Amino acid sequence: MEIRTLKPEEFDAAMELGEYAFQYKMTAEAKEKARKRFKPENTWGMFDEEGRLSAKLGLLNVDIFVNGKKMPMSGVAGVATWPEYRRQGLVKQLLTHSLQVMNESGKLISMLHPFSFAFYRKFGWEMFSDFIKYVISTEKLPAKQVTEGTVRRGVTDISVLNRVYEAYASRYNGMMVRDEDRWKHAILNDEEDQTAVYYDSAGEPQGFLLYKVQKQEMQVYEFIYLTEEARQALWTFIGNHDSMIKQTVLDHMPVDDGLTYMLADPRITQEIVPFGMARIVNVPGFIEAYAFQSDGKEQAWTVQIQDPYAPWNEGKWKIALSPEGTAAVTAADPSEPVQLSLDIQTLTTMMLGYKRPGELLNMGRLAGEPEAVAYLERVIPLGRTFLLDFF
């Protein structure tokens, strides 16, 4: 077996495998559009002795927000194997190789959408985000409010939408940075979808909806707001469809959005869905790029990391934190006592803020001195995780 990136002329082989594995069929028009956007250098394949594509995965290289800062991320997508090659460890080899590629190219973290959480946990990825789905009958929608701004439908100016999106996304750990290509081909690519942007009294965009109305239902795919006024205005806009719809489905909202608390009758249908997994690719690089919460003191501690599929992370590390919250990571002396011990999955979910150090200690996922755990509680920000994009 050979691992290598695909060639441009191998697009059809990759598409054939993807269609078979994920049980879909692209139209000729959609396939030609995909061919033009195909980046063979970001698709890795396993080829048998006769040169046939046996398994593949794609890497999506974008930045994500972590504690308000952009970090280089590589997303794993389109993992597929022909059935006659399954149970032979091909995906394991591809994932291991892709981690090496990510590390060598300077990516600090990786994310994916799993078919199986248990499968990807074996290779160091861990769940880090959920979303909540609401179904609200029209009579239970939030009360309409009068605001000073204006809602404008049909806004397709990507610069306007992205300005609001980035301000919102930077509040959450794990949200992707969207470039123009992603907006055009992954977000605004359905002709039936509509947008509505709220502008405040000064003419500044402060929120938007991406939605569709059909068969007496409003389906909201993105509900983005920067101010409480924008939130109220967008809910009022939804409520103004009351003569057209029987219910509203908010397909993808942060679990901490607090909607039910603000409803007169909070007994609506809700579903919390685990959505994304992440794993730190390079421990020293990630920690040194991380924005810790400063407590005004200099501190150092020794951490033992287990990460068998990324051996450059394995071992004992000394993390020194400045009074300003900047970290320096060096290999620890073998004789130094270990103050904290954890695997890469636990480190990832803790640093992103999905689980707190104390929680992980109680779960048995983190081992260490109580003083070191208490220090982590102080210096790791109370981050919120959310992932809106699918890839």
Side-chain angles (χ1 to χ4, degrees), residues 323-342:
E324 295 75 34
T326 302
V329 183
T330 55
D333 189 287
S335 63
E336 289 193 53
V338 173
Q339 294 167 286
L340 295 165
S341 179
L342 68 171

Side-chain angles (χ1 to χ4, degrees), residues 16-173:
E16 184 182 5
L17 173 53
E19 287 178 324
Y20 187 94
F22 300 111
Q23 303 173 54
Y24 69 94
K25 194 71 176 177
M26 293 184 75
T27 64
E29 180 183 1
K31 190 171 290 188
E32 284 311 303
K33 288 182 179 178
R35 188 188 303 275
K36 293 176 181 178
R37 300 182 61 242
F38 179 53
K39 296 180 179 179
E41 68 276 11
N42 290 336
T43 305
W44 289 86
M46 291 283 294
F47 295 83
D48 67 15
E49 292 77 7
E50 298 180 16
R52 291 176 298 197
L53 180 65
S54 307
K56 71 174 184 71
L57 63 74
L59 298 180
L60 174 67
N61 298 314
V62 299
D63 287 350
I64 63 167
F65 288 99
V66 178
N67 295 340
K69 296 171 60 178
K70 295 178 182 179
M71 275 196 183
M73 188 278 297
S74 193
V76 177
V79 182
T81 309
W82 285 110
E84 61 267 31
Y85 293 102
R86 292 174 187 166
R87 310 296 187 269
Q88 298 178 31
L90 302 192
V91 170
K92 174 182 176 180
Q93 294 179 60
L94 278 174
L95 289 172
T96 304
H97 183 79
S98 71
L99 284 170
Q100 295 172 350
V101 171
M102 294 177 204
N103 188 49
E104 291 167 2
S105 62
K107 303 300 182 287
L108 299 181
I109 191 167
S110 175
M111 301 194 309
L112 55 80
H113 296 287
F115 79 94
S116 164
F117 283 87
F119 178 83
Y120 284 103
R121 274 184 171 133
K122 293 186 296 184
F123 303 104
W125 279 266
E126 182 56 272
M127 64 184 297
F128 85 98
S129 74
D130 309 310
F131 69 80
I132 191 166
K133 178 179 180 179
Y134 298 111
V135 180
I136 312 173
S137 58
T138 297
E139 68 272 12
K140 292 186 177 183
L141 288 171
K144 298 172 185 176
Q145 304 284 336
V146 176
T147 53
E148 296 183 359
T150 305
V151 175
R152 300 178 193 167
R153 283 187 308 105
V155 177
T156 56
D157 187 334
I158 290 174
S159 65
V160 171
L161 298 173
N162 195 58
R163 178 150 50 108
V164 178
Y165 169 81
E166 285 216 350
Y168 177 87
S170 64
R171 301 173 178 178
Y172 293 93
N173 294 339

Side-chain angles (χ1 to χ4, degrees), residues 277-305:
M277 300 186 81
R279 67 110 74 221
I280 293 170
V281 172
N282 184 289
V283 168
F286 180 90
I287 291 177
E288 290 181 348
Y290 188 86
F292 286 90
Q293 179 71 46
S294 172
D295 69 349
K297 299 177 182 178
E298 189 170 327
Q299 179 75 25
W301 67 99
T302 304
V303 182
Q304 183 81 37
I305 304 291

Side-chain angles (χ1 to χ4, degrees), residues 75-374:
V76 177
V79 182
T81 309
W82 285 110
E84 61 267 31
Y85 293 102
R86 292 174 187 166
R87 310 296 187 269
Q88 298 178 31
L90 302 192
V91 170
K92 174 182 176 180
Q93 294 179 60
L94 278 174
L95 289 172
T96 304
H97 183 79
S98 71
L99 284 170
Q100 295 172 350
V101 171
M102 294 177 204
N103 188 49
E104 291 167 2
S105 62
K107 303 300 182 287
L108 299 181
I109 191 167
S110 175
M111 301 194 309
L112 55 80
H113 296 287
F115 79 94
S116 164
F117 283 87
F119 178 83
Y120 284 103
R121 274 184 171 133
K122 293 186 296 184
F123 303 104
W125 279 266
E126 182 56 272
M127 64 184 297
F128 85 98
S129 74
D130 309 310
F131 69 80
I132 191 166
K133 178 179 180 179
Y134 298 111
V135 180
I136 312 173
S137 58
T138 297
E139 68 272 12
K140 292 186 177 183
L141 288 171
K144 298 172 185 176
Q145 304 284 336
V146 176
T147 53
E148 296 183 359
T150 305
V151 175
R152 300 178 193 167
R153 283 187 308 105
V155 177
T156 56
D157 187 334
I158 290 174
S159 65
V160 171
L161 298 173
N162 195 58
R163 178 150 50 108
V164 178
Y165 169 81
E166 285 216 350
Y168 177 87
S170 64
R171 301 173 178 178
Y172 293 93
N173 294 339
M175 287 284 273
M176 288 172 51
V177 176
R178 294 174 175 174
D179 60 13
E180 184 175 358
D181 182 76
R182 183 157 192 83
W183 274 106
K184 286 182 177 179
H185 298 288
I187 311 301
L188 303 176
N189 60 327
D190 189 332
E191 294 180 356
E192 295 184 5
D193 291 346
Q194 300 190 54
T195 62
V197 176
Y198 177 70
Y199 294 84
D200 63 19
S201 58
E204 289 296 313
Q206 298 290 352
F208 70 81
L209 300 176
L210 178 63
Y211 69 98
K212 180 189 295 184
V213 180
Q214 60 182 12
K215 298 180 181 179
Q216 296 186 303
E217 177 181 280
M218 175 179 274
Q219 188 155 12
V220 180
Y221 304 110
E222 298 193 3
F223 190 128
I224 306 293
Y225 60 92
L226 304 182
T227 64
E228 177 60 18
E229 180 183 273
R231 186 191 69 82
Q232 292 175 355
L234 292 173
W235 271 118
T236 298
F237 176 79
I238 292 173
N240 287 337
H241 290 76
D242 52 4
S243 64
M244 301 168 57
I245 61 174
K246 292 184 178 180
Q247 67 179 22
T248 298
V249 177
L250 277 78
D251 193 65
H252 204 121
M253 297 289 286
V255 293
D256 64 349
D257 77 310
L259 172 64
T260 52
Y261 182 75
M262 294 180 278
L263 293 176
D265 184 353
R267 289 170 293 186
I268 61 174
T269 301
Q270 306 173 59
E271 179 185 8
I272 294 177
V273 182
F275 189 56
M277 300 186 81
R279 67 110 74 221
I280 293 170
V281 172
N282 184 289
V283 168
F286 180 90
I287 291 177
E288 290 181 348
Y290 188 86
F292 286 90
Q293 179 71 46
S294 172
D295 69 349
K297 299 177 182 178
E298 189 170 327
Q299 179 75 25
W301 67 99
T302 304
V303 182
Q304 183 81 37
I305 304 291
Q306 297 90 45
D307 191 359
Y309 288 96
W312 52 88
N313 291 331
E314 279 264 350
K316 191 187 298 184
W317 299 95
K318 184 174 183 179
I319 302 173
L321 198 62
S322 74
E324 295 75 34
T326 302
V329 183
T330 55
D333 189 287
S335 63
E336 289 193 53
V338 173
Q339 294 167 286
L340 295 165
S341 179
L342 68 171
D343 58 27
I344 195 68
Q345 297 96 323
T346 303
L347 180 67
T348 301
T349 200
M350 179 177 70
M351 298 300 287
L352 291 178
Y354 185 70
K355 294 295 179 186
R356 297 298 299 172
E359 283 184 276
L360 294 166
L361 180 69
N362 291 336
M363 292 176 183
R365 293 291 301 274
L366 171 66
E369 300 173 356
E371 296 82 3
V373 176

